[in-house]
Amino acid sequence: MEISGTVVSILPEINGTSGKGAWRKQEFILETEGQYPKKVCIMMWGDKIDQFALTEGDVVTASIDAESREYNQRWYTDLKAWKVEKGVAGSAQPATPNNAPGDFGPPPNPAFAPSGGSDDDLPF
């Protein structure tokens, strides 16, 4: 899966040691584009932290794996980035009349605008 947007926050790196050795992870918050933007928390593990070298404000497309696990009858979902490309999200292209978000043709005809009277003034 892929998700695109702007990095709005980078959380502190967390590290520790397990039976398999030392580990480290870091999460970042990606805000999607569109009329109703969403904020999504994505994690990076190990060498990917240095490889991606993210900073706040970066416009990116992240390739992610979604995985859920159960613990004490509750489910937890992680989004793990395995590839991040900078500068390839949808906002990297300038908006023109042919690809502007919400471009649905010419502006509405003012003759169909409500005249202000009662709530029943519908154009149809």
Side-chain angles (χ1 to χ4, degrees):
M1 289 189 282
E2 288 187 344
I3 186 168
S4 298
T6 303
V7 177
V8 293
S9 181
I10 298 177
L11 304 178
E13 185 177 315
I14 300 171
N15 53 45
T17 306
S18 69
K20 296 180 180 179
W23 58 267
R24 57 188 261 226
K25 76 171 185 174
Q26 187 170 36
E27 297 170 317
F28 64 96
I29 310 302
L30 187 74
E31 185 171 46
T32 63
E33 301 165 351
Q35 185 175 0
Y36 303 105
K38 307 277 189 244
K39 291 183 180 172
V40 181
C41 182
I42 302 172
M43 69 176 59
M44 307 174 280
W45 284 90
D47 295 339
K48 301 288 186 193
I49 298 168
D50 301 322
Q51 179 183 351
F52 300 153
L54 296 178
T55 58
E56 289 183 17
D58 284 347
V59 176
V60 301
T61 296
S63 298
I64 58 173
D65 286 327
E67 183 179 349
S68 297
R69 65 190 182 295
E70 186 265 338
Y71 178 74
N72 287 339
Q73 298 179 346
R74 295 205 56 196
W75 284 88
Y76 300 89
T77 301
D78 293 329
L79 299 178
K80 298 177 184 175
W82 55 271
K83 180 172 86 172
V84 174
E85 296 176 298
K86 294 184 181 183
V88 292
S91 68
Q93 298 176 354
T96 63
N98 292 334
N99 69 355
D103 184 15
F104 297 109
N109 186 340
F112 291 110
S115 60
S118 71
D119 290 336
D120 293 332
D121 288 338
L122 297 177
F124 50 89

